[in-house]
mmCIF file of all heavy atoms in Angstrom:
data_model
loop_
_atom_site.group_PDB
_atom_site.id
_atom_site.type_symbol
_atom_site.label_atom_id
_atom_site.label_comp_id
_atom_site.label_asym_id
_atom_site.label_seq_id
_atom_site.Cartn_x
_atom_site.Cartn_y
_atom_site.Cartn_z
ATOM 1 N N ASP A 913 0.851 -1.197 -0.002
ATOM 2 C CA ASP A 913 -0.015 -0.001 0.008
ATOM 3 C C ASP A 913 0.891 1.253 -0.010
ATOM 4 O O ASP A 913 1.871 1.317 0.716
ATOM 5 C CB ASP A 913 -0.926 0.015 1.207
ATOM 6 C CG ASP A 913 -1.833 1.252 1.192
ATOM 7 O OD1 ASP A 913 -2.703 1.305 0.307
ATOM 8 O OD2 ASP A 913 -1.637 2.141 2.014
ATOM 9 N N LEU A 914 0.491 2.224 -0.799
ATOM 10 C CA LEU A 914 1.318 3.420 -0.993
ATOM 11 C C LEU A 914 0.551 4.693 -0.668
ATOM 12 O O LEU A 914 0.532 5.647 -1.452
ATOM 13 C CB LEU A 914 1.796 3.479 -2.446
ATOM 14 C CG LEU A 914 2.542 2.237 -2.955
ATOM 15 C CD1 LEU A 914 2.849 2.360 -4.446
ATOM 16 C CD2 LEU A 914 3.808 2.017 -2.172
ATOM 17 N N TYR A 915 -0.071 4.759 0.528
ATOM 18 C CA TYR A 915 -0.874 5.931 0.844
ATOM 19 C C TYR A 915 -0.011 7.171 1.043
ATOM 20 O O TYR A 915 -0.447 8.302 0.793
ATOM 21 C CB TYR A 915 -1.732 5.683 2.090
ATOM 22 C CG TYR A 915 -1.021 5.979 3.380
ATOM 23 C CD1 TYR A 915 -0.978 7.269 3.912
ATOM 24 C CD2 TYR A 915 -0.391 4.940 4.078
ATOM 25 C CE1 TYR A 915 -0.316 7.515 5.113
ATOM 26 C CE2 TYR A 915 0.269 5.203 5.251
ATOM 27 C CZ TYR A 915 0.310 6.488 5.781
ATOM 28 O OH TYR A 915 0.973 6.737 6.940
ATOM 29 N N SER A 916 1.227 6.979 1.489
ATOM 30 C CA SER A 916 2.072 8.160 1.768
ATOM 31 C C SER A 916 2.596 8.773 0.487
ATOM 32 O O SER A 916 3.168 8.072 -0.355
ATOM 33 C CB SER A 916 3.256 7.762 2.658
ATOM 34 O OG SER A 916 4.132 8.898 2.804
ATOM 35 N N PRO A 917 2.487 10.114 0.346
ATOM 36 C CA PRO A 917 3.015 10.792 -0.845
ATOM 37 C C PRO A 917 4.452 11.235 -0.673
ATOM 38 O O PRO A 917 4.987 11.904 -1.559
ATOM 39 C CB PRO A 917 2.083 12.006 -0.971
ATOM 40 C CG PRO A 917 1.759 12.369 0.454
ATOM 41 C CD PRO A 917 1.716 11.046 1.195
ATOM 42 N N ASP A 918 5.103 10.877 0.437
ATOM 43 C CA ASP A 918 6.465 11.335 0.690
ATOM 44 C C ASP A 918 7.352 11.016 -0.514
ATOM 45 O O ASP A 918 7.528 9.846 -0.892
ATOM 46 C CB ASP A 918 7.014 10.631 1.936
ATOM 47 C CG ASP A 918 8.415 11.092 2.270
ATOM 48 O OD1 ASP A 918 9.359 10.538 1.676
ATOM 49 O OD2 ASP A 918 8.548 12.001 3.130
ATOM 50 N N PRO A 919 7.947 12.037 -1.163
ATOM 51 C CA PRO A 919 8.692 11.797 -2.393
ATOM 52 C C PRO A 919 9.917 10.929 -2.194
ATOM 53 O O PRO A 919 10.266 10.126 -3.077
ATOM 54 C CB PRO A 919 9.058 13.210 -2.860
ATOM 55 C CG PRO A 919 8.939 14.073 -1.655
ATOM 56 C CD PRO A 919 7.861 13.484 -0.814
ATOM 57 N N ASP A 920 10.629 11.068 -1.071
ATOM 58 C CA ASP A 920 11.792 10.232 -0.836
ATOM 59 C C ASP A 920 11.420 8.773 -0.709
ATOM 60 O O ASP A 920 12.114 7.895 -1.255
ATOM 61 C CB ASP A 920 12.527 10.692 0.429
ATOM 62 C CG ASP A 920 13.187 12.071 0.259
ATOM 63 O OD1 ASP A 920 13.482 12.440 -0.887
ATOM 64 O OD2 ASP A 920 13.376 12.745 1.286
ATOM 65 N N PHE A 921 10.319 8.491 -0.013
ATOM 66 C CA PHE A 921 9.859 7.112 0.106
ATOM 67 C C PHE A 921 9.546 6.540 -1.277
ATOM 68 O O PHE A 921 9.979 5.422 -1.617
ATOM 69 C CB PHE A 921 8.630 7.042 0.997
ATOM 70 C CG PHE A 921 7.741 5.871 0.701
ATOM 71 C CD1 PHE A 921 8.182 4.568 0.927
ATOM 72 C CD2 PHE A 921 6.461 6.055 0.181
ATOM 73 C CE1 PHE A 921 7.358 3.483 0.631
ATOM 74 C CE2 PHE A 921 5.655 4.981 -0.113
ATOM 75 C CZ PHE A 921 6.100 3.695 0.117
ATOM 76 N N ARG A 922 8.810 7.273 -2.073
ATOM 77 C CA ARG A 922 8.436 6.762 -3.389
ATOM 78 C C ARG A 922 9.674 6.493 -4.254
ATOM 79 O O ARG A 922 9.749 5.458 -4.940
ATOM 80 C CB ARG A 922 7.515 7.772 -4.083
ATOM 81 C CG ARG A 922 6.098 7.822 -3.482
ATOM 82 C CD ARG A 922 5.274 8.901 -4.155
ATOM 83 N NE ARG A 922 3.861 8.829 -3.782
ATOM 84 C CZ ARG A 922 2.936 9.728 -4.139
ATOM 85 N NH1 ARG A 922 3.274 10.750 -4.930
ATOM 86 N NH2 ARG A 922 1.682 9.578 -3.770
ATOM 87 N N SER A 923 10.605 7.409 -4.219
ATOM 88 C CA SER A 923 11.845 7.238 -5.005
ATOM 89 C C SER A 923 12.656 6.055 -4.506
ATOM 90 O O SER A 923 13.185 5.258 -5.305
ATOM 91 C CB SER A 923 12.710 8.520 -4.976
ATOM 92 O OG SER A 923 12.029 9.593 -5.576
ATOM 93 N N ASN A 924 12.765 5.905 -3.211
ATOM 94 C CA ASN A 924 13.517 4.768 -2.659
ATOM 95 C C ASN A 924 12.866 3.442 -3.002
ATOM 96 O O ASN A 924 13.547 2.460 -3.359
ATOM 97 C CB ASN A 924 13.610 4.908 -1.143
ATOM 98 C CG ASN A 924 14.611 5.968 -0.702
ATOM 99 O OD1 ASN A 924 15.509 6.315 -1.442
ATOM 100 N ND2 ASN A 924 14.408 6.500 0.496
ATOM 101 N N LEU A 925 11.527 3.400 -2.959
ATOM 102 C CA LEU A 925 10.833 2.155 -3.276
ATOM 103 C C LEU A 925 11.009 1.836 -4.756
ATOM 104 O O LEU A 925 11.239 0.676 -5.122
ATOM 105 C CB LEU A 925 9.351 2.265 -2.921
ATOM 106 C CG LEU A 925 8.511 1.021 -3.214
ATOM 107 C CD1 LEU A 925 9.043 -0.189 -2.429
ATOM 108 C CD2 LEU A 925 7.032 1.266 -2.885
ATOM 109 N N GLY A 926 10.859 2.846 -5.628
ATOM 110 C CA GLY A 926 11.040 2.607 -7.046
ATOM 111 C C GLY A 926 12.416 2.038 -7.348
ATOM 112 O O GLY A 926 12.585 1.086 -8.133
ATOM 113 N N ARG A 927 13.438 2.620 -6.740
ATOM 114 C CA ARG A 927 14.816 2.171 -6.931
ATOM 115 C C ARG A 927 14.972 0.727 -6.389
ATOM 116 O O ARG A 927 15.611 -0.116 -7.033
ATOM 117 C CB ARG A 927 15.757 3.104 -6.219
ATOM 118 C CG ARG A 927 17.243 2.747 -6.352
ATOM 119 C CD ARG A 927 18.095 3.755 -5.557
ATOM 120 N NE ARG A 927 19.467 3.336 -5.482
ATOM 121 C CZ ARG A 927 20.382 3.891 -4.681
ATOM 122 N NH1 ARG A 927 20.011 4.888 -3.872
ATOM 123 N NH2 ARG A 927 21.625 3.419 -4.647
ATOM 124 N N ALA A 928 14.356 0.438 -5.225
ATOM 125 C CA ALA A 928 14.493 -0.878 -4.627
ATOM 126 C C ALA A 928 13.800 -1.976 -5.433
ATOM 127 O O ALA A 928 14.171 -3.137 -5.352
ATOM 128 C CB ALA A 928 13.932 -0.865 -3.198
ATOM 129 N N MET A 929 12.804 -1.581 -6.228
ATOM 130 C CA MET A 929 12.065 -2.590 -7.026
ATOM 131 C C MET A 929 12.675 -2.798 -8.406
ATOM 132 O O MET A 929 12.139 -3.626 -9.169
ATOM 133 C CB MET A 929 10.590 -2.147 -7.180
ATOM 134 C CG MET A 929 9.781 -2.231 -5.924
ATOM 135 S SD MET A 929 8.006 -2.038 -6.244
ATOM 136 C CE MET A 929 7.974 -0.388 -6.967
ATOM 137 N N ARG A 930 13.739 -2.076 -8.756
ATOM 138 C CA ARG A 930 14.337 -2.230 -10.068
ATOM 139 C C ARG A 930 14.687 -3.696 -10.349
ATOM 140 O O ARG A 930 15.276 -4.390 -9.545
ATOM 141 C CB ARG A 930 15.627 -1.411 -10.183
ATOM 142 C CG ARG A 930 15.386 0.090 -10.278
ATOM 143 C CD ARG A 930 16.709 0.850 -10.286
ATOM 144 N NE ARG A 930 16.493 2.287 -10.223
ATOM 145 C CZ ARG A 930 17.472 3.170 -10.022
ATOM 146 N NH1 ARG A 930 18.730 2.755 -9.897
ATOM 147 N NH2 ARG A 930 17.195 4.458 -9.981
ATOM 148 N N GLY A 931 14.261 -4.151 -11.515
ATOM 149 C CA GLY A 931 14.541 -5.528 -11.935
ATOM 150 C C GLY A 931 13.580 -6.555 -11.351
ATOM 151 O O GLY A 931 13.692 -7.741 -11.697
ATOM 152 N N ARG A 932 12.652 -6.137 -10.532
ATOM 153 C CA ARG A 932 11.704 -7.075 -9.939
ATOM 154 C C ARG A 932 10.312 -6.447 -9.725
ATOM 155 O O ARG A 932 9.526 -6.937 -8.924
ATOM 156 C CB ARG A 932 12.250 -7.605 -8.623
ATOM 157 C CG ARG A 932 12.769 -6.540 -7.655
ATOM 158 C CD ARG A 932 13.344 -7.118 -6.393
ATOM 159 N NE ARG A 932 14.010 -6.115 -5.551
ATOM 160 C CZ ARG A 932 14.523 -6.376 -4.385
ATOM 161 N NH1 ARG A 932 14.469 -7.595 -3.856
ATOM 162 N NH2 ARG A 932 15.153 -5.438 -3.686
ATOM 163 N N ARG A 933 10.041 -5.399 -10.453
ATOM 164 C CA ARG A 933 8.774 -4.703 -10.323
ATOM 165 C C ARG A 933 7.594 -5.641 -10.505
ATOM 166 O O ARG A 933 6.570 -5.537 -9.814
ATOM 167 C CB ARG A 933 8.707 -3.561 -11.351
ATOM 168 C CG ARG A 933 7.330 -2.991 -11.653
ATOM 169 C CD ARG A 933 6.744 -2.248 -10.462
ATOM 170 N NE ARG A 933 5.425 -1.765 -10.758
ATOM 171 C CZ ARG A 933 4.302 -2.446 -10.528
ATOM 172 N NH1 ARG A 933 4.347 -3.668 -9.981
ATOM 173 N NH2 ARG A 933 3.125 -1.933 -10.832
ATOM 174 N N GLU A 934 7.711 -6.619 -11.416
ATOM 175 C CA GLU A 934 6.590 -7.515 -11.731
ATOM 176 C C GLU A 934 6.227 -8.430 -10.583
ATOM 177 O O GLU A 934 5.165 -9.075 -10.600
ATOM 178 C CB GLU A 934 6.933 -8.357 -12.978
ATOM 179 C CG GLU A 934 7.915 -9.490 -12.765
ATOM 180 C CD GLU A 934 9.386 -9.022 -12.653
ATOM 181 O OE1 GLU A 934 9.658 -7.827 -12.866
ATOM 182 O OE2 GLU A 934 10.246 -9.871 -12.343
ATOM 183 N N LYS A 935 7.048 -8.507 -9.559
ATOM 184 C CA LYS A 935 6.787 -9.381 -8.425
ATOM 185 C C LYS A 935 5.885 -8.724 -7.383
ATOM 186 O O LYS A 935 5.500 -9.380 -6.416
ATOM 187 C CB LYS A 935 8.101 -9.797 -7.795
ATOM 188 C CG LYS A 935 8.961 -10.642 -8.699
ATOM 189 C CD LYS A 935 10.217 -11.142 -8.015
ATOM 190 C CE LYS A 935 11.039 -12.024 -8.979
ATOM 191 N NZ LYS A 935 12.268 -12.545 -8.303
ATOM 192 N N PHE A 936 5.518 -7.460 -7.587
ATOM 193 C CA PHE A 936 4.779 -6.730 -6.579
ATOM 194 C C PHE A 936 3.471 -6.151 -7.138
ATOM 195 O O PHE A 936 3.387 -5.785 -8.307
ATOM 196 C CB PHE A 936 5.631 -5.630 -5.980
ATOM 197 C CG PHE A 936 6.861 -6.138 -5.310
ATOM 198 C CD1 PHE A 936 8.091 -6.117 -5.937
ATOM 199 C CD2 PHE A 936 6.785 -6.721 -4.047
ATOM 200 C CE1 PHE A 936 9.227 -6.627 -5.331
ATOM 201 C CE2 PHE A 936 7.899 -7.235 -3.412
ATOM 202 C CZ PHE A 936 9.138 -7.184 -4.067
ATOM 203 N N VAL A 937 2.478 -6.103 -6.266
ATOM 204 C CA VAL A 937 1.176 -5.488 -6.573
ATOM 205 C C VAL A 937 1.151 -4.159 -5.841
ATOM 206 O O VAL A 937 1.180 -4.117 -4.618
ATOM 207 C CB VAL A 937 0.032 -6.388 -6.114
ATOM 208 C CG1 VAL A 937 -1.311 -5.679 -6.279
ATOM 209 C CG2 VAL A 937 0.046 -7.725 -6.852
ATOM 210 N N LEU A 938 1.095 -3.071 -6.619
ATOM 211 C CA LEU A 938 1.144 -1.739 -6.022
ATOM 212 C C LEU A 938 -0.258 -1.156 -5.868
ATOM 213 O O LEU A 938 -0.997 -1.045 -6.849
ATOM 214 C CB LEU A 938 2.010 -0.804 -6.866
ATOM 215 C CG LEU A 938 3.471 -1.199 -7.035
ATOM 216 C CD1 LEU A 938 4.216 -0.139 -7.820
ATOM 217 C CD2 LEU A 938 4.149 -1.480 -5.706
ATOM 218 N N GLN A 939 -0.601 -0.813 -4.624
ATOM 219 C CA GLN A 939 -1.864 -0.170 -4.331
ATOM 220 C C GLN A 939 -1.561 1.312 -4.165
ATOM 221 O O GLN A 939 -1.305 1.818 -3.064
ATOM 222 C CB GLN A 939 -2.463 -0.768 -3.071
ATOM 223 C CG GLN A 939 -3.840 -0.249 -2.698
ATOM 224 C CD GLN A 939 -4.479 -1.038 -1.584
ATOM 225 O OE1 GLN A 939 -5.169 -2.028 -1.837
ATOM 226 N NE2 GLN A 939 -4.303 -0.634 -0.354
ATOM 227 N N ALA A 940 -1.515 2.019 -5.285
ATOM 228 C CA ALA A 940 -1.110 3.417 -5.318
ATOM 229 C C ALA A 940 -2.299 4.344 -5.118
ATOM 230 O O ALA A 940 -3.350 4.126 -5.705
ATOM 231 C CB ALA A 940 -0.409 3.742 -6.653
ATOM 232 N N HIS A 941 -2.150 5.360 -4.282
ATOM 233 C CA HIS A 941 -3.266 6.215 -3.919
ATOM 234 C C HIS A 941 -3.340 7.477 -4.790
ATOM 235 O O HIS A 941 -2.341 8.141 -5.016
ATOM 236 C CB HIS A 941 -3.163 6.635 -2.468
ATOM 237 C CG HIS A 941 -3.515 5.547 -1.507
ATOM 238 N ND1 HIS A 941 -4.467 5.665 -0.536
ATOM 239 C CD2 HIS A 941 -3.028 4.270 -1.405
ATOM 240 C CE1 HIS A 941 -4.557 4.536 0.144
ATOM 241 N NE2 HIS A 941 -3.689 3.660 -0.362
ATOM 242 N N LEU A 942 -4.525 7.722 -5.303
ATOM 243 C CA LEU A 942 -4.859 9.003 -5.887
ATOM 244 C C LEU A 942 -5.307 9.943 -4.758
ATOM 245 O O LEU A 942 -5.785 9.485 -3.723
ATOM 246 C CB LEU A 942 -5.999 8.856 -6.909
ATOM 247 C CG LEU A 942 -5.826 7.800 -8.003
ATOM 248 C CD1 LEU A 942 -7.128 7.661 -8.773
ATOM 249 C CD2 LEU A 942 -4.715 8.153 -8.924
ATOM 250 N N CYS A 943 -5.135 11.223 -4.951
ATOM 251 C CA CYS A 943 -5.638 12.248 -3.989
ATOM 252 C C CYS A 943 -4.765 12.361 -2.750
ATOM 253 O O CYS A 943 -5.100 13.136 -1.851
ATOM 254 C CB CYS A 943 -7.092 11.987 -3.564
ATOM 255 S SG CYS A 943 -8.250 11.785 -4.933
ATOM 256 N N SER A 944 -3.648 11.647 -2.673
ATOM 257 C CA SER A 944 -2.709 11.813 -1.587
ATOM 258 C C SER A 944 -1.461 12.442 -2.200
ATOM 259 O O SER A 944 -0.736 11.770 -2.948
ATOM 260 C CB SER A 944 -2.381 10.447 -0.955
ATOM 261 O OG SER A 944 -1.396 10.584 0.042
ATOM 262 N N VAL A 945 -1.222 13.702 -1.909
ATOM 263 C CA VAL A 945 -0.165 14.455 -2.597
ATOM 264 C C VAL A 945 0.789 15.118 -1.589
ATOM 265 O O VAL A 945 0.491 15.236 -0.403
ATOM 266 C CB VAL A 945 -0.772 15.521 -3.536
ATOM 267 C CG1 VAL A 945 -1.679 14.866 -4.566
ATOM 268 C CG2 VAL A 945 -1.505 16.598 -2.771
ATOM 269 N N TRP A 946 1.919 15.540 -2.109
ATOM 270 C CA TRP A 946 2.937 16.229 -1.329
ATOM 271 C C TRP A 946 2.866 17.714 -1.653
ATOM 272 O O TRP A 946 3.066 18.127 -2.802
ATOM 273 C CB TRP A 946 4.311 15.675 -1.651
ATOM 274 C CG TRP A 946 5.373 15.994 -0.646
ATOM 275 C CD1 TRP A 946 6.400 16.870 -0.823
ATOM 276 C CD2 TRP A 946 5.546 15.452 0.666
ATOM 277 N NE1 TRP A 946 7.202 16.920 0.288
ATOM 278 C CE2 TRP A 946 6.710 16.043 1.232
ATOM 279 C CE3 TRP A 946 4.827 14.519 1.408
ATOM 280 C CZ2 TRP A 946 7.182 15.735 2.500
ATOM 281 C CZ3 TRP A 946 5.278 14.211 2.677
ATOM 282 C CH2 TRP A 946 6.433 14.806 3.207
ATOM 283 N N LYS A 947 2.553 18.531 -0.676
ATOM 284 C CA LYS A 947 2.362 19.967 -0.913
ATOM 285 C C LYS A 947 3.074 20.749 0.191
ATOM 286 O O LYS A 947 2.846 20.501 1.380
ATOM 287 C CB LYS A 947 0.849 20.297 -0.894
ATOM 288 C CG LYS A 947 0.495 21.648 -1.528
ATOM 289 C CD LYS A 947 0.541 21.585 -3.028
ATOM 290 C CE LYS A 947 -0.026 22.863 -3.641
ATOM 291 N NZ LYS A 947 0.032 22.833 -5.121
ATOM 292 N N ASP A 948 3.922 21.681 -0.219
ATOM 293 C CA ASP A 948 4.653 22.522 0.741
ATOM 294 C C ASP A 948 5.374 21.671 1.795
ATOM 295 O O ASP A 948 5.361 21.992 2.996
ATOM 296 C CB ASP A 948 3.678 23.507 1.431
ATOM 297 C CG ASP A 948 3.005 24.432 0.446
ATOM 298 O OD1 ASP A 948 3.665 24.831 -0.530
ATOM 299 O OD2 ASP A 948 1.819 24.739 0.642
ATOM 300 N N GLY A 949 5.978 20.593 1.340
ATOM 301 C CA GLY A 949 6.786 19.773 2.233
ATOM 302 C C GLY A 949 6.033 18.853 3.158
ATOM 303 O O GLY A 949 6.601 18.356 4.132
ATOM 304 N N GLN A 950 4.728 18.632 2.894
ATOM 305 C CA GLN A 950 3.983 17.745 3.768
ATOM 306 C C GLN A 950 2.826 17.071 3.021
ATOM 307 O O GLN A 950 2.451 17.493 1.930
ATOM 308 C CB GLN A 950 3.426 18.525 4.977
ATOM 309 C CG GLN A 950 2.476 19.640 4.626
ATOM 310 C CD GLN A 950 2.017 20.410 5.849
ATOM 311 O OE1 GLN A 950 2.532 20.209 6.966
ATOM 312 N NE2 GLN A 950 1.095 21.324 5.665
ATOM 313 N N TYR A 951 2.265 16.042 3.660
ATOM 314 C CA TYR A 951 1.139 15.315 3.121
ATOM 315 C C TYR A 951 -0.091 16.163 3.045
ATOM 316 O O TYR A 951 -0.384 16.981 3.921
ATOM 317 C CB TYR A 951 0.851 14.093 4.013
ATOM 318 C CG TYR A 951 -0.596 13.585 3.977
ATOM 319 C CD1 TYR A 951 -1.026 12.757 2.949
ATOM 320 C CD2 TYR A 951 -1.505 13.946 4.952
ATOM 321 C CE1 TYR A 951 -2.328 12.286 2.930
ATOM 322 C CE2 TYR A 951 -2.799 13.459 4.951
ATOM 323 C CZ TYR A 951 -3.200 12.638 3.930
ATOM 324 O OH TYR A 951 -4.494 12.169 3.903
ATOM 325 N N LYS A 952 -0.863 16.003 1.943
ATOM 326 C CA LYS A 952 -2.156 16.675 1.777
ATOM 327 C C LYS A 952 -3.112 15.744 1.099
ATOM 328 O O LYS A 952 -2.801 15.119 0.093
ATOM 329 C CB LYS A 952 -1.982 17.972 0.972
ATOM 330 C CG LYS A 952 -3.310 18.684 0.682
ATOM 331 C CD LYS A 952 -3.117 19.869 -0.258
ATOM 332 C CE LYS A 952 -4.442 20.550 -0.592
ATOM 333 N NZ LYS A 952 -4.245 21.677 -1.555
ATOM 334 N N ARG A 953 -4.314 15.639 1.641
ATOM 335 C CA ARG A 953 -5.397 14.951 0.955
ATOM 336 C C ARG A 953 -6.135 15.993 0.107
ATOM 337 O O ARG A 953 -6.526 17.014 0.616
ATOM 338 C CB ARG A 953 -6.357 14.296 1.943
ATOM 339 C CG ARG A 953 -7.517 13.574 1.254
ATOM 340 C CD ARG A 953 -8.488 12.955 2.239
ATOM 341 N NE ARG A 953 -9.180 13.965 3.039
ATOM 342 C CZ ARG A 953 -10.217 13.701 3.849
ATOM 343 N NH1 ARG A 953 -10.686 12.466 3.898
ATOM 344 N NH2 ARG A 953 -10.784 14.657 4.532
ATOM 345 N N THR A 954 -6.306 15.701 -1.165
ATOM 346 C CA THR A 954 -6.902 16.693 -2.050
ATOM 347 C C THR A 954 -7.979 16.085 -2.919
ATOM 348 O O THR A 954 -7.975 14.887 -3.209
ATOM 349 C CB THR A 954 -5.810 17.324 -2.950
ATOM 350 O OG1 THR A 954 -6.380 18.367 -3.745
ATOM 351 C CG2 THR A 954 -5.200 16.293 -3.880
ATOM 352 N N ARG A 955 -8.888 16.955 -3.354
ATOM 353 C CA ARG A 955 -9.883 16.589 -4.367
ATOM 354 C C ARG A 955 -9.758 17.493 -5.578
ATOM 355 O O ARG A 955 -10.569 17.431 -6.501
ATOM 356 C CB ARG A 955 -11.311 16.671 -3.800
ATOM 357 C CG ARG A 955 -11.549 15.798 -2.570
ATOM 358 C CD ARG A 955 -11.387 14.328 -2.855
ATOM 359 N NE ARG A 955 -11.673 13.514 -1.660
ATOM 360 C CZ ARG A 955 -10.846 12.623 -1.155
ATOM 361 N NH1 ARG A 955 -9.673 12.416 -1.731
ATOM 362 N NH2 ARG A 955 -11.174 11.913 -0.087
ATOM 363 N N ASP A 956 -8.757 18.339 -5.575
ATOM 364 C CA ASP A 956 -8.484 19.215 -6.694
ATOM 365 C C ASP A 956 -7.885 18.365 -7.823
ATOM 366 O O ASP A 956 -6.834 17.739 -7.697
ATOM 367 C CB ASP A 956 -7.482 20.302 -6.302
ATOM 368 C CG ASP A 956 -7.153 21.261 -7.441
ATOM 369 O OD1 ASP A 956 -6.232 20.908 -8.229
ATOM 370 O OD2 ASP A 956 -7.810 22.304 -7.560
ATOM 371 N N LEU A 957 -8.577 18.347 -8.969
ATOM 372 C CA LEU A 957 -8.226 17.415 -10.032
ATOM 373 C C LEU A 957 -6.849 17.674 -10.579
ATOM 374 O O LEU A 957 -6.104 16.729 -10.892
ATOM 375 C CB LEU A 957 -9.281 17.499 -11.155
ATOM 376 C CG LEU A 957 -9.199 16.399 -12.215
ATOM 377 C CD1 LEU A 957 -9.225 15.032 -11.604
ATOM 378 C CD2 LEU A 957 -10.331 16.564 -13.247
ATOM 379 N N ALA A 958 -6.441 18.922 -10.682
ATOM 380 C CA ALA A 958 -5.093 19.230 -11.175
ATOM 381 C C ALA A 958 -4.034 18.677 -10.232
ATOM 382 O O ALA A 958 -3.031 18.107 -10.659
ATOM 383 C CB ALA A 958 -4.929 20.739 -11.335
ATOM 384 N N GLU A 959 -4.259 18.820 -8.925
ATOM 385 C CA GLU A 959 -3.318 18.285 -7.940
ATOM 386 C C GLU A 959 -3.304 16.760 -7.954
ATOM 387 O O GLU A 959 -2.246 16.117 -7.799
ATOM 388 C CB GLU A 959 -3.680 18.782 -6.541
ATOM 389 C CG GLU A 959 -3.442 20.270 -6.327
ATOM 390 C CD GLU A 959 -3.760 20.714 -4.911
ATOM 391 O OE1 GLU A 959 -4.540 20.015 -4.227
ATOM 392 O OE2 GLU A 959 -3.250 21.766 -4.509
ATOM 393 N N VAL A 960 -4.471 16.168 -8.146
ATOM 394 C CA VAL A 960 -4.567 14.710 -8.201
ATOM 395 C C VAL A 960 -3.753 14.180 -9.395
ATOM 396 O O VAL A 960 -2.967 13.240 -9.250
ATOM 397 C CB VAL A 960 -6.039 14.269 -8.326
ATOM 398 C CG1 VAL A 960 -6.116 12.758 -8.567
ATOM 399 C CG2 VAL A 960 -6.800 14.626 -7.049
#
């Protein structure tokens, strides 16, 4: 599950899955974004 929009986490996970991405099922969240250095839940379509 990928509810956190923390950019460092996402980048680290992407790098860690290199060469084995197909072995994982990613539950990626829409509407969970990184804004002004922190998590934000949004319904603004452009931000989503």
